[in-house]
Amino acid sequence: MQRRKFLKKSSLTTAGLLSAPILASCKTENKPENVPVTIVVKKPVAICTWNFMNATAKAWEVLEKGGNALDAVEQGVMVEEADVTNETVGVGGRPDREGNVTLDACIMDKDGNCGSVVYLQNIAHPISVARKVMEDTPHIILAGKGAEQFAYEKGFKKTDLLTESTRKQYEEWKKESKYETVINIENHDTIGMLAIDSNGDIAGACTTSGMAYKVAGRVGDSPIIGAGLYVDNEVGGATATGVGEEVIRTVGSFLIVELMRQGKSPQEACEEGVKRIMKKNEGREDFQIGFLAINKQGETGGYCVHPGFTYREYTQDGHENQPVESFYKK
Ligand code: ASP
């Protein structure tokens, strides 16, 4: 066995010692003994699906003050839940085929605790209800009426989630009421967010109103732990956007975290995640999936089926919209 000596760098953006699973993934076999290996850990970091710059800015505000990753991801995605112009998350989300806006969300912390709400109506911040499920109940998932009742008991206010704009769009859609999955390759706006705080701890959150005009009762990947979101604080985290059925079929986010555990970078793991999905859908071009991942060192990556998916990243180095490579090139 080689003896590995790690140099400790002390600043907010770097860290020294890494946990055993990360050590296992470092390729140091050819290094002579006693040669110090420096592994720079970038932290804090906040990333989210798509270009939701206000959400990452909010998460960063929390992280910069020394706040924890869990608070950062919750408060970050709440920005999109409250934004009526984002028509696939929270207030202003598009309804199902019956005209009801039904929300899905989940959250996961550094200790593997998680909470989720599915088919939740009339509540503006499903992510905060999911956090309450995690923290105040012995359960992980609450659904529908039960979740709504629980939210009221926790002090959440009843809110009309349909806006003037989504009401009109729904009335328009009803004229033809095409009872088939509407696949809008460019218009999946679920927010999945991952953050690593200045302690080096990782948390994630994911929230959506799901696919527009879905069959009443449909639940996507976003509130399913392991599908739309997964965090393992020893390894990293992953989250997804796009057609949830395909993400569930591969347990996408869990798969990506496990691939990182085996030594893949976040980028490589996201690519493999998309390729697994495409293997089950050979030749199919009519759907979009975007994966996003972060590892324990604060490295990030993303990959998608079609061009157009990007992710926002906030670090000490800046606040960037990161381009993402795709399976299909155009
Ligand atoms: N993943 C979400 C769902 O299937 C939708 C999306 O990301 O647009 O519900």
Side-chain angles (χ1 to χ4, degrees):
M1 255 301 261
Q2 280 187 350
R3 220 152 44 93
R4 299 172 177 111
K5 207 168 138 200
F6 289 85
L7 292 179
K8 189 173 179 185
K9 284 201 170 187
S10 58
S11 87
L12 195 65
T13 55
T14 58
L17 297 172
L18 289 171
S19 59
I22 296 294
L23 278 179
S25 75
C26 296
K27 292 191 178 108
T28 55
E29 300 83 43
N30 300 326
K31 292 249 172 357
E33 268 198 54
N34 297 329
V35 174
V37 178
T38 307
I39 295 181
V40 178
V41 180
K42 202 172 180 187
K43 57 181 186 164
V45 180
I47 53 174
C48 74
T49 51
W50 308 106
N51 191 15
F52 295 130
M53 52 177 6
N54 297 333
T56 37
K58 183 69 203 179
W60 184 257
E61 202 182 296
V62 175
L63 295 169
E64 210 185 12
K65 289 183 196 140
N68 66 47
L70 186 66
D71 289 337
V73 294
E74 181 190 8
Q75 290 179 39
V77 302
M78 281 173 76
V79 170
E80 288 308 311
E81 289 182 336
D83 181 357
V84 292
T85 66
N86 181 340
E87 296 187 333
T88 52
V89 180
V91 186
R94 292 196 199 91
D96 65 14
R97 289 172 188 184
E98 312 301 323
N100 297 313
V101 182
T102 69
L103 305 178
D104 294 339
C106 74
I107 194 159
M108 194 160 187
D109 77 5
K110 65 180 172 57
D111 299 314
N113 298 312
C114 44
S116 159
V117 286
V118 304
Y119 197 73
L120 176 64
Q121 296 183 57
N122 302 313
I123 302 289
H125 288 296
I127 200 65
S128 302
V129 185
R131 183 167 176 175
K132 290 274 182 223
V133 174
M134 174 174 88
E135 291 177 342
D136 296 357
T137 80
H139 309 303
I140 290 179
I141 306 177
L142 291 185
K145 281 281 161 229
E148 192 178 337
Q149 188 53 40
F150 171 77
Y152 296 141
E153 281 162 21
K154 291 290 166 187
F156 291 84
K157 298 273 166 296
K158 187 167 185 169
T159 307
D160 184 0
L161 302 176
L162 213 54
T163 58
E164 207 35 47
S165 159
T166 51
R167 203 183 303 272
K168 274 195 191 135
Q169 288 175 50
Y170 173 64
E171 293 307 328
E172 232 2 81
W173 175 84
K174 264 206 310 195
K175 288 180 188 161
E176 281 198 39
S177 309
K178 275 199 195 136
Y179 281 110
E180 62 192 29
T181 309
V182 178
I183 293 152
N184 186 341
I185 284 172
E186 293 303 338
N187 199 15
H188 296 285
D189 293 344
T190 293
I191 181 164
M193 182 178 275
L194 301 161
I196 178 163
D197 60 29
S198 42
N199 273 335
D201 290 323
I202 303 169
C206 190
T207 178
T208 190
S209 54
M211 293 170 77
Y213 318 126
K214 60 198 174 186
V215 175
R218 181 261 187 190
V219 171
D221 62 316
S222 307
I224 307 297
I225 299 294
L229 176 76
Y230 195 70
V231 170
D232 184 323
N233 200 37
E234 288 186 341
V235 177
T239 189
T241 181
V243 175
E245 283 71 8
E246 296 306 324
V247 178
I248 293 171
R249 291 214 291 152
T250 46
V251 200
S253 294
F254 181 74
L255 170 68
I256 287 168
V257 171
E258 287 307 301
L259 290 166
M260 290 194 289
R261 190 194 303 279
Q262 289 161 23
K264 288 204 188 305
S265 68
Q267 182 60 39
E268 290 164 346
C270 288
E271 287 179 21
E272 179 62 24
V274 167
K275 282 173 190 158
R276 294 273 179 101
I277 288 176
M278 296 319 292
K279 219 172 164 189
K280 290 184 174 150
N281 289 281
E282 252 181 74
R284 218 184 126 191
E285 294 186 15
D286 60 351
F287 69 100
Q288 172 69 308
I289 303 279
F291 280 125
L292 178 57
I294 190 167
N295 67 10
K296 198 64 181 163
Q297 291 105 302
E299 294 168 335
T300 63
Y303 199 67
C304 55
V305 175
H306 290 280
F309 174 62
T310 61
Y311 69 91
R312 257 283 155 179
E313 178 169 36
Y314 212 139
T315 69
Q316 297 273 342
D317 303 333
H319 192 194
E320 307 285 336
N321 187 31
Q322 303 288 6
V324 169
E325 290 289 311
S326 52
F327 184 86
Y328 293 115
K329 298 305 169 200
K330 47 174 154 156

Coordinates of all heavy atoms in Angstrom, one line a residue, residues 1-5 32-35:
M1 N 0.8 -1.2 0.0 CA 0.0 0.0 0.0 C 0.9 1.3 0.0 O 1.8 1.4 0.8 CB -0.9 0.0 1.3 CG -2.3 -0.3 1.0 SD -3.2 0.7 -0.1 CE -4.0 1.8 1.1
Q2 N 0.5 2.2 -0.9 CA 1.3 3.4 -0.9 C 0.8 4.3 0.3 O -0.3 4.3 0.6 CB 1.1 4.2 -2.2 CG 1.9 3.6 -3.3 CD 1.8 4.5 -4.5 OE1 0.9 5.4 -4.5 NE2 2.6 4.2 -5.5
R3 N 1.8 5.1 0.8 CA 1.4 6.1 1.8 C 1.1 7.4 1.1 O 1.9 7.8 0.3 CB 2.6 6.3 2.8 CG 2.1 6.4 4.2 CD 3.2 5.9 5.2 NE 4.5 6.4 4.8 CZ 5.0 7.5 5.4 NH1 4.4 8.2 6.2 NH2 6.3 7.9 5.0
R4 N -0.1 7.9 1.3 CA -0.4 9.1 0.5 C -0.5 10.3 1.5 O -1.1 10.2 2.6 CB -1.8 9.0 -0.1 CG -1.8 7.9 -1.2 CD -3.2 7.8 -1.6 NE -3.3 6.7 -2.7 CZ -3.9 5.6 -2.5 NH1 -4.4 5.3 -1.3 NH2 -3.9 4.7 -3.5
K5 N 0.2 11.3 1.2 CA 0.3 12.5 2.1 C -0.4 13.6 1.4 O -0.1 14.0 0.3 CB 1.8 12.8 2.3 CG 2.1 13.5 3.6 CD 3.5 13.5 3.9 CE 4.0 14.8 4.4 NZ 5.4 15.0 4.2
P32 N 5.5 8.0 -6.9 CA 6.4 7.4 -6.0 C 6.0 7.7 -4.5 O 5.2 8.7 -4.3 CB 7.7 8.2 -6.3 CG 7.4 9.3 -7.2 CD 6.0 9.1 -7.7
E33 N 6.5 6.9 -3.6 CA 6.1 7.1 -2.2 C 6.5 8.5 -1.7 O 7.5 9.0 -2.1 CB 6.7 6.0 -1.4 CG 5.8 4.8 -1.3 CD 6.3 3.9 -0.1 OE1 6.4 4.4 1.0 OE2 6.5 2.7 -0.4
N34 N 5.7 9.0 -0.8 CA 6.0 10.2 -0.1 C 5.9 11.5 -0.9 O 6.3 12.5 -0.5 CB 7.3 10.2 0.6 CG 7.3 9.1 1.7 OD1 6.3 8.8 2.3 ND2 8.5 8.5 1.9
V35 N 5.4 11.4 -2.2 CA 5.2 12.6 -3.0 C 3.9 13.1 -2.6 O 2.9 12.4 -2.8 CB 5.3 12.3 -4.5 CG1 5.0 13.5 -5.3 CG2 6.7 11.8 -4.8

